[in-house]
Amino acid sequence: MKKKEVSYTPDSLPPLTEAQRQNLERLAAMPDDHINYVDIPKLTEEQLAEFKRPEHYRPVKKQITARVDADVLAWLKAGGKGYQSRMNAILRKAMLKAIEP
């Protein structure tokens, strides 16, 4: 028997049942010292400092209007399709270099 794949987005989730809502409220009201962390031990500050953004992290894109010099735009477009992505990569590299400790 073929199973139907179900896919949801945050906007298309089914509404919570009354039992689910009550369980979430109960969990939200639970004090932190009542949470059992046996299978998920707390991380140290050193461990947290070692975390890196996932390799396939995709930041949210935001459409803008920007004015750039005509020669800069021509240079970007000369590389073929994807000049906006190249522009973003150049800006991201400069941003990361600027915020480097």
Side-chain angles (χ1 to χ4, degrees):
M1 176 181 210
K2 188 174 180 180
K3 293 184 180 183
K4 182 179 177 184
E5 184 176 319
V6 178
S7 178
Y8 293 111
T9 66
D11 297 328
S12 70
L13 287 171
L16 294 174
T17 65
E18 184 61 25
Q20 290 170 326
R21 189 186 59 72
Q22 288 176 355
N23 191 38
L24 288 173
E25 288 174 0
R26 179 186 61 79
L27 290 171
M30 182 185 294
D32 288 348
D33 61 346
H34 284 78
I35 299 173
N36 182 348
Y37 289 103
V38 171
D39 59 341
I40 49 168
K42 286 189 175 182
L43 297 173
T44 65
E45 290 299 320
E46 293 80 24
Q47 290 170 316
L48 291 172
E50 291 177 8
F51 280 164
K52 293 185 177 155
R53 183 172 284 140
E55 182 180 335
H56 300 291
Y57 167 74
R58 290 182 55 129
V60 175
K61 301 287 185 189
K62 183 165 178 118
Q63 184 173 350
I64 64 164
T65 300
R67 293 185 181 272
V68 295
D69 294 337
D71 59 336
V72 172
L73 184 60
W75 172 75
L76 284 166
K77 286 186 171 184
K81 188 175 179 182
Y83 77 93
Q84 291 173 325
S85 295
R86 283 192 296 282
M87 183 187 311
N88 190 69
I90 292 165
L91 290 169
R92 176 169 294 283
K93 186 175 180 179
M95 177 193 73
L96 293 173
K97 186 176 181 181
I99 62 175
E100 228 173 44

